[in-house]
Amino acid sequence: MEEPWNLECVSYAVDCLLSFVTEFVQDWAANDMRVSIFKILLGWLLISLVSIHFAWKVYGITVNDMYHRQGTAGQNGGTPETATNFSGWESSAGDGSKPRRE
């Protein structure tokens, strides 16, 4: 059977949360330097998030199309139906034109 909620733990958690909120409201009303810096940083964060949201709404489809492969060969990370030509890479690996210094 399930154990009943331990009311002491719940009341302690609620008491801690209430004291934190009360202290936060008092600091907010005090208007000291910490609160001013917090308000500036919070405003900057919110403006940045809203700007990113609107930019994604406007340019999101364009960005998605830039990274979405067009056509059927190898679309979305699949293997293409025809073999790719890596002859340039294979020939440069075996010719030894660049000596290796050890």
Side-chain angles (χ1 to χ4, degrees):
M1 294 230 164
E2 295 181 26
E3 295 182 22
W5 281 87
N6 191 351
L7 293 179
E8 291 178 13
C9 290
V10 173
S11 66
Y12 178 73
V14 169
D15 187 39
C16 287
L17 182 65
L18 187 62
S19 65
F20 174 76
V21 169
T22 304
E23 184 178 343
F24 184 79
V25 168
Q26 287 174 353
D27 283 345
W28 190 272
N31 240 357
D32 63 348
M33 184 59 78
R34 289 183 311 158
V35 175
S36 300
I37 292 173
F38 179 77
K39 287 178 182 179
I40 291 169
L41 292 176
L42 182 63
W44 186 3
L45 177 68
L46 292 176
I47 289 172
S48 298
L49 290 175
V50 169
S51 300
I52 290 169
H53 174 72
F54 284 127
W56 187 256
K57 284 183 95 112
V58 173
Y59 297 109
I61 294 173
T62 306
V63 172
N64 188 34
D65 289 342
M66 284 175 25
Y67 294 103
H68 182 75
R69 293 184 186 173
Q70 301 297 323
T72 58
Q75 185 174 359
N76 295 330
T79 52
E81 295 173 3
T82 60
T84 55
N85 186 6
F86 291 114
S87 61
W89 292 358
E90 292 169 355
S91 66
S92 66
D95 63 0
S97 63
K98 296 180 182 177
R100 196 167 53 164
R101 295 181 184 178
E102 293 180 5

